[in-house]
């Protein structure tokens, strides 16, 4: 909770205590609490604070009534009102602590901008027929700017909460406060004028372009041009740059309750979709971008050193990254970093061919020694330089922002036993080391791939 949030809760608690112990001072205390509540509501109203809002309103009404000479409620009744108000304030305290507003303030010196990529050669797999595939793209980069609006996780919180809540089986109200979530990057800060090595990041099934925001911004601060997109209909929520209609995930792209054969076909087509999105992105940069609403702005193209390009992906995005890199070939793609890369959907020919560039696979506990890991063995065996690593005590989504949404993440199964901050520190260290190996960029230490830091194990797929 913020300082203003805590001040609001304390003010309501003091007003409630005053109503209990010093009824004659109840009105001034209630007025003070209401003023602070109003200030908080104007600055950062959200559902977690609603009980405190209600408590302040009740105390104010009772205080006004009693100040008018009416002995309502009775002394006993006023104590009960004070107890109720205190209880409501404590509910806000618990809710605000359990589900705080995500606010990433580090690293400094990162800018971000967005654009729309229109792939006229393809249509969306779902939705209206014949509509060209439009992809919201976000770019992160180092900047000297220190002032400006910070990057919002979502600009359309009501739509985001409704779609995400439906997919995750959660009440949308629990997610509405994500509209206030901010990352460290400064929106539309000037782009660098010198070309930077490029990292294309591919989110997983049910992810979105900022799903690994803390990692992407760290890589940008370390001297990279980092590019990610919402893979529409495979993303949890795809948010158009121009504020148009939000596109939710299509569960039929990876259906439940079907035969193994049908599921396998669907998963392969899903990774093909993500792969083709990456290929379209790279092709657009090679071709010099396009006009607004169709391709990369000239400033983004000028900042991209396409002679040094690595693709990083999580889960479905990890498999798609391997597939896209194989299609691009050498020298267009310099390496792949997979966080729990899902290689089962890859065509057998792609798995058996491996890569002619380095591949670093960083896995969580559940993804070691499973069926996917057995197939990752095949990819590693036929790759020129492959490194297998693992972070014990982590779950599949621990490399995303999900565990940062609540301090109760590990207790409710949203993360593993390892502290989320430590997981992200280790993930950043290994990813940076991989980039140093592949393109010689950033401040990563290559030796961490063979002699990893405490908390990371050398663990080849098995």
């Amino acid at each position: 909770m913020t300082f203003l949030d805590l001040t609001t809760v304390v003010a309501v608690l003091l007003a409630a205590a005053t109503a209990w112990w010093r009824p004659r001072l109840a009105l001034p205390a209630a007025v003070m609490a209401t003023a602070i509540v109003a200030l908080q509501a104007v600055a950062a109203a959200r559902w977690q604070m609603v009980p405190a809002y209600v408590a302040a309103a009740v105390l104010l009404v009772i205080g006004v009534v009693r100040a008018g000479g009416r002995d309502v409620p009775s002394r006993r009744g006023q104590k009960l009102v004070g107890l109720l108000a205190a209880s409501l304030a404590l509910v806000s305290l618990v809710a605000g602590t359990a589900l705080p507003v995500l606010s990433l303030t580090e690293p400094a010196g990162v800018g971000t901008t967005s654009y729309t990529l229109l792939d006229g050669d393809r249509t969306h797999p779902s939705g209206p027929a014949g509509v060209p595939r439009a992809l919201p793209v976000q770019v992160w980069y180092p900047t000297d700017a220190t002032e400006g609006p910070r990057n919002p996780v979502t600009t359309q919180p009501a739509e985001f909460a409704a779609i995400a809540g439906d997919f995750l089986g959660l009440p949308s109200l629990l997610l509405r406060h994500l509209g206030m979530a901010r990352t460290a990057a400064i929106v539309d800060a000037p782009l660098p004028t010198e070309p930077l090595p490029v990292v294309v990041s591919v989110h997983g099934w049910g992810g979105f372009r900022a799903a690994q925001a803390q990692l992407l911004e760290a890589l940008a601060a370390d001297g990279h041009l980092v590019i990610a997109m919402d893979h529409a209909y495979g993303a949890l929520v795809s948010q158009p740059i121009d504020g148009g209609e939000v596109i939710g995930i299509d569960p039929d792209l990876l259906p439940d309750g079907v035969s193994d054969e049908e599921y396998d076909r669907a998963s392969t087509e899903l990774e093909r979709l993500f792969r083709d999105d990456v290929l379209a992105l790279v092709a657009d940069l090679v071709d010099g971008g396009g006009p607004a609403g169709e391709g990369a702005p000239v400033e983004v193209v000028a900042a991209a050193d396409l002679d040094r390009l690595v693709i990083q992906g999580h889960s479905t995005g990890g498999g798609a990254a391997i597939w896209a890199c194989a299609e691009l070939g050498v020298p267009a793609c310099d390496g792949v970093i997979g966080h729990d890369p899902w290689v089962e959907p890859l065509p057998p020919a792609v798995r058996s061919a491996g890569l002619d560039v380095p591949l670093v696979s960083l896995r969580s506990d559940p993804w070691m020694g499973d069926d996917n890991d057995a197939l990752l063995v095949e990819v590693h065996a036929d790759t020129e330089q492959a490194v297998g690593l693992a972070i014990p005590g982590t779950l599949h989504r621990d490399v995303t922002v999900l565990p940062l949404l609540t301090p109760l993440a590990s207790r409710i199964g949203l993360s593993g036993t390892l502290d989320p901050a430590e997981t992200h520190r280790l993930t950043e260290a290994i990813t940076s080391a991989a980039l140093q190996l592949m393109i010689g960029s950033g401040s990563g230490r290559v030796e961490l791939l063979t002699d990893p830091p405490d908390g990371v194990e050398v663990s080849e797929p098995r």
Side-chain angles (χ1 to χ4, degrees):
M1 298 182 75
T2 66
F3 177 77
L4 183 55
D5 295 339
L6 289 172
T7 301
T8 300
V9 171
V10 170
V12 174
L13 287 172
L14 288 175
T18 302
W20 181 286
W21 296 108
R22 295 288 186 272
R24 292 181 181 179
L25 299 177
L27 180 58
V31 170
M32 179 193 69
T34 303
I36 295 175
V37 162
L39 180 63
Q40 192 281 334
V42 170
R46 63 184 189 278
W47 69 265
Q48 293 97 322
M49 299 301 294
V50 168
Y53 302 159
V54 172
V58 169
L59 289 171
L60 181 63
V61 169
I62 296 300
V64 170
V65 169
R66 290 187 66 85
R70 299 180 62 186
D71 193 20
V72 178
S74 64
R75 181 75 179 90
R76 177 181 174 84
Q78 189 159 0
K79 286 188 173 184
L80 291 176
V81 168
L83 180 60
L84 173 62
S87 300
L88 289 171
L90 291 174
V91 168
S92 283
L93 179 64
V94 171
T97 302
L99 290 169
V101 174
L102 177 67
S103 180
L104 303 178
T105 57
E106 296 291 338
V110 178
T112 186
T113 192
S114 303
Y115 66 91
T116 299
L117 174 62
L118 188 67
D119 187 353
D121 295 331
R122 295 187 297 147
T123 59
H124 285 305
S126 306
V131 176
R133 186 155 173 78
L135 300 166
V137 181
Q138 188 163 358
V139 186
W140 290 266
Y141 44 87
T143 182
D144 293 329
T146 57
E147 300 291 335
R150 288 168 54 205
N151 176 54
V153 170
T154 173
T155 56
Q156 296 165 282
E159 295 86 347
F160 186 101
I163 294 170
D166 183 62
F167 181 73
L168 299 172
L170 297 172
S172 63
L173 178 65
L174 293 181
L175 302 173
R176 287 291 292 270
H177 66 291
L178 290 178
M180 302 171 63
R182 296 291 184 272
T183 69
I186 297 174
V187 176
D188 290 332
L191 278 106
T193 55
E194 295 296 324
L196 299 175
V198 177
V199 179
V200 177
S201 181
V202 193
H203 67 70
W205 166 251
F208 58 103
R209 62 182 185 259
Q212 290 188 275
Q214 74 284 22
L215 172 65
L216 306 189
E217 294 187 358
L219 297 180
D222 201 27
H224 301 92
L225 189 77
V226 184
I227 308 176
M229 57 189 136
D230 289 334
H231 298 272
Y233 294 100
L236 176 63
V237 179
S238 180
Q239 303 174 87
I241 304 304
D242 59 4
E245 182 182 358
V246 173
I247 297 174
I249 192 169
D250 180 3
D252 290 337
L253 293 182
L254 197 61
D256 289 326
V258 297
S259 66
D260 290 345
E261 293 78 9
E262 187 174 349
Y263 183 87
D264 290 345
R265 283 194 299 270
S267 63
T268 297
E269 290 307 309
L270 178 66
E271 287 206 350
R272 188 191 308 275
L273 179 71
F274 281 36
R275 177 206 70 175
D276 289 347
D277 289 344
V278 174
L279 297 178
L281 174 74
V282 174
D284 176 67
L285 292 171
V286 170
D287 293 341
E294 296 184 17
V298 293
E299 296 86 357
V300 172
V301 175
D305 179 2
L306 297 177
D307 290 330
R308 293 185 291 170
L309 183 146
V310 170
I311 309 175
Q312 172 268 328
H314 174 239
S315 193
T316 301
I322 293 171
W323 200 351
C325 188
E327 288 287 327
L328 289 169
V330 178
C333 177
D334 293 293
V336 172
I337 305 167
H339 298 154
D340 280 348
W342 191 25
V343 298
E344 288 176 289
L346 293 176
V350 175
R351 288 198 302 265
S352 62
L355 294 171
D356 295 325
V357 293
L359 166 64
V360 173
S361 299
L362 180 64
R363 288 116 67 229
S364 62
D365 266 348
W367 282 60
M368 291 188 290
D370 63 357
D371 291 343
N372 184 77
D373 214 31
L375 293 175
L376 187 58
V377 170
E378 184 180 353
V379 180
H380 272 225
D382 293 294
T383 292
E384 181 172 312
Q385 186 175 6
V387 177
L389 298 166
I391 305 180
T394 58
L395 298 181
H396 183 55
R397 291 189 176 92
D398 284 10
V399 295
T400 72
V401 297
L402 185 64
L404 303 180
L405 298 182
T406 171
L408 303 177
S410 62
R411 296 185 181 183
I412 60 178
L414 292 182
S415 70
T417 56
L418 190 64
D419 178 69
E422 179 66 2
T423 299
H424 291 303
R425 185 188 72 81
L426 295 173
T427 301
E428 178 188 336
I430 296 303
T431 303
S432 297
L435 290 171
Q436 181 63 229
L437 168 70
M438 295 168 183
I439 52 179
S441 62
S443 59
R445 296 163 49 206
V446 175
E447 63 268 22
L448 293 183
L449 300 178
T450 52
D451 184 18
D454 291 343
V456 179
E457 296 179 353
V458 174
S459 177
E460 291 301 323
R462 58 185 189 275

